[in-house]
Amino acid sequence: MTSPERAQLPITLADTAAPVRMWLPPEEADSAAVAQLRNIASLPWVHGVRAMPDCHLGIGATVGSVIAMRGAVSPAAVGVDIGCGVAAVRTDLVEEDLEDLGTLRSAIEAAIPVGFAAHEEALSSRELTRLGARGGLEEFWEGFSALPESVQKREKKARTQLGTMGGGNHFAELCVDDRDGRVWITLHSGSRNIGKEVAEVHIARAKGLEHNAQLSDRNLAVFLADSPGMDAYVRDVQWAQEYASRSREIMIGLFQDAVSQHWGARGREVRFDMPVNCHHNYLSLEQIDGEDMVITRKGAISTRGGDLALIPGSMGVGSYIVRGLANPDSFYSASHGAGRKMSRNAAKKTFTVSDLAKQTEGIETRKDAGVLDEIPSAYKDLHAVMKYQSDLVEPVAHLQTVLCVKG
């Protein structure tokens, strides 16, 4: 795919109520996603919308969208997997050290519950400390009592799912930096079922509010500022975001454990550095164009502060470690990944298990019907996505997948 000239991007959609700017060539933009972006921009509270190069149709709000609102927030603009995001850490291993990856994959799958699975018991404070997780976990759990009453009944499940990966597009990978051969651990996960339940409670509440009755898409229902509904939503979503962040931190520790034991049995001590942990489905309160606003990123990362972040591609394609360029034009944001170009059902109908095996050749991973919807061809070209946002992030490393654990 040919990269566009830099002067072409971003483009501004014509005739929108609030400005919509896209880091994607018009000919590659899905018409349904563009219509959805226009609809979002029609909300009276919206200051502006930014669409990342991986954007595609979502429920209510477009995946790959960044929305700045005055005095309101739409739960659909965060989505149901609150706090979904990525983490990474570099090892001092190099490609030549890699061996017996099938055994290592089995060890990772045994250490990190995937799919609908959870830990048999919540991990103890001693175990979490050993894994390098942050302290203050009991103080964090005190916030659970403020969540919706229907959600509080799920506390045991939430505790045992902390530090578990889930399914879908979530993964744990071992990757190699194609420049220096250094081996990285990468991870993609969210807030599990507890975040989904929090989101669904608030989406239903927002849909029932009178000021949302005339919306063309009730999925875009909003809470208004200084209302009990908005205060409760912001509080609960921030709790779920913290849950997701802590969960990734724990899984990175479990992954490091598996790696250390794998090479420790061979007399090799492994060291880790350059940790990354960031959300890409979340809200924050930020200054945009000199005003305090609610910013929702649904499939987008923050580039404020120039911190390191991870932008993954599809299963087996790898990822980019990037540094944010803090471009205010994008509301200080960049893409969260490659982005899907076809639905899961379409992928299952289009491709076969044989296609999956060919497209993941040389990678230690599942190659069965259970992950067929995650086949690389169901996703956009990650390298093109990176070129389209060259003014938003600076690539630090391109990581090629050698091992992938899926739910």
Side-chain angles (χ1 to χ4, degrees):
M1 185 176 296
T2 303
S3 173
E5 296 295 326
R6 273 300 306 125
Q8 291 180 280
L9 295 178
I11 65 164
T12 301
L13 295 185
D15 303 320
T16 57
V20 179
R21 292 174 70 71
M22 296 178 59
W23 274 258
L24 183 66
E27 64 273 13
E28 292 186 28
D30 174 64
S31 59
V34 172
Q36 190 171 60
L37 291 167
R38 290 182 179 279
N39 192 43
I40 295 166
S42 71
L43 296 180
W45 309 278
V46 171
H47 169 74
V49 182
R50 301 296 184 260
M52 301 296 103
D54 60 340
C55 69
H56 58 277
L57 187 69
I59 298 175
T62 313
V63 179
S65 65
V66 184
I67 306 169
M69 282 194 182
R70 293 187 187 90
V73 64
S74 172
V78 174
V80 295
D81 195 359
I82 300 169
C84 184
V86 289
V89 66
R90 188 176 66 171
T91 79
D92 65 348
L93 298 168
V94 294
E95 188 171 13
E96 289 74 19
D97 295 320
L98 298 178
E99 58 178 310
D100 199 7
L101 294 185
T103 299
L104 177 59
R105 178 162 74 93
S106 296
I108 297 165
E109 290 169 341
I112 302 175
V114 301
F116 293 105
H119 296 289
E120 291 185 9
E121 299 289 340
L123 298 178
S124 68
S125 296
R126 175 177 294 182
E127 176 69 354
L128 293 174
T129 298
R130 187 187 69 78
L131 292 170
R134 275 171 290 164
L137 188 61
E138 285 311 309
E139 291 84 351
F140 162 73
W141 278 110
E142 289 174 4
F144 195 87
S145 61
L147 298 180
E149 187 175 345
S150 61
V151 177
Q152 291 182 37
K153 300 173 184 178
R154 307 287 187 170
E155 182 173 358
K156 181 178 180 180
K157 185 175 185 178
R159 284 181 178 267
T160 57
Q161 283 192 326
L162 185 69
T164 68
M165 191 169 73
N169 60 355
H170 295 165
F171 63 75
E173 292 189 342
L174 201 69
C175 302
V176 174
D177 186 332
D178 62 9
R179 303 169 311 162
D180 60 11
R182 290 286 288 273
V183 175
W184 286 71
I185 286 170
T186 64
L187 182 79
H188 177 203
S189 70
S191 52
R192 297 306 316 271
N193 190 64
I194 197 65
K196 177 177 179 290
E197 292 198 5
V198 166
E200 289 176 343
V201 166
H202 287 288
I203 289 171
R205 287 177 178 176
K207 286 181 177 180
L209 297 175
E210 185 177 353
H211 61 259
N212 293 314
Q214 302 304 315
L215 293 180
S216 59
D217 183 356
R218 292 290 290 279
N219 287 313
L220 280 174
V222 303
F223 292 115
L224 299 181
D226 302 321
S227 71
M230 180 162 173
D231 292 344
Y233 176 67
V234 171
R235 179 196 65 224
D236 293 352
V237 81
Q238 288 177 338
W239 186 92
Q241 288 170 189
E242 178 72 1
Y243 179 97
S245 179
R246 285 178 176 271
S247 194
R248 286 191 293 274
E249 193 175 71
I250 292 165
M251 283 184 282
I252 285 290
L254 292 169
F255 199 159
Q256 289 180 174
D257 241 13
V259 167
S260 293
Q261 290 172 22
H262 185 76
W263 272 277
R266 294 156 175 77
R268 172 78 153 81
E269 181 182 357
V270 183
R271 294 181 174 83
F272 306 92
D273 65 1
M274 292 183 69
V276 175
N277 189 350
C278 61
H279 301 310
H280 54 226
N281 281 8
Y282 73 111
L283 70 76
S284 62
L285 309 178
E286 301 180 22
Q287 273 222 335
I288 297 293
D289 297 334
E291 297 183 55
D292 293 332
M293 297 192 193
V294 177
I295 301 299
T296 53
R297 295 183 175 91
K298 184 177 183 178
I301 59 171
S302 172
T303 63
R304 283 186 186 266
D307 293 333
L308 289 178
L310 176 73
I311 298 179
S314 61
M315 176 182 175
V317 168
S319 306
Y320 278 92
I321 299 290
V322 301
R323 190 176 299 281
L325 297 179
N327 187 333
D329 195 25
S330 69
F331 296 157
Y332 307 96
S333 304
S335 79
H336 80 312
R340 296 192 74 92
K341 66 181 181 183
M342 66 173 66
S343 70
R344 295 186 181 279
N345 285 336
K348 290 176 182 178
K349 293 176 181 177
T350 304
F351 301 104
T352 66
V353 171
S354 177
D355 294 326
L356 176 64
K358 290 176 183 176
Q359 293 185 28
T360 57
E361 186 176 358
I363 299 168
E364 176 57 47
T365 187
R366 288 176 61 186
K367 303 175 192 284
D368 57 69
V371 294
L372 185 56
D373 54 350
E374 285 292 295
I375 190 169
S377 286
Y379 284 82
K380 297 179 182 179
D381 181 349
L382 176 63
H383 306 298
V385 165
M386 292 300 297
K387 290 176 182 176
Y388 294 152
Q389 59 183 345
S390 61
D391 59 336
L392 306 184
V393 291
E394 174 190 9
V396 173
H398 173 243
L399 310 180
Q400 179 59 53
T401 305
V402 293
L403 179 156
C404 177
V405 171
K406 298 288 293 185

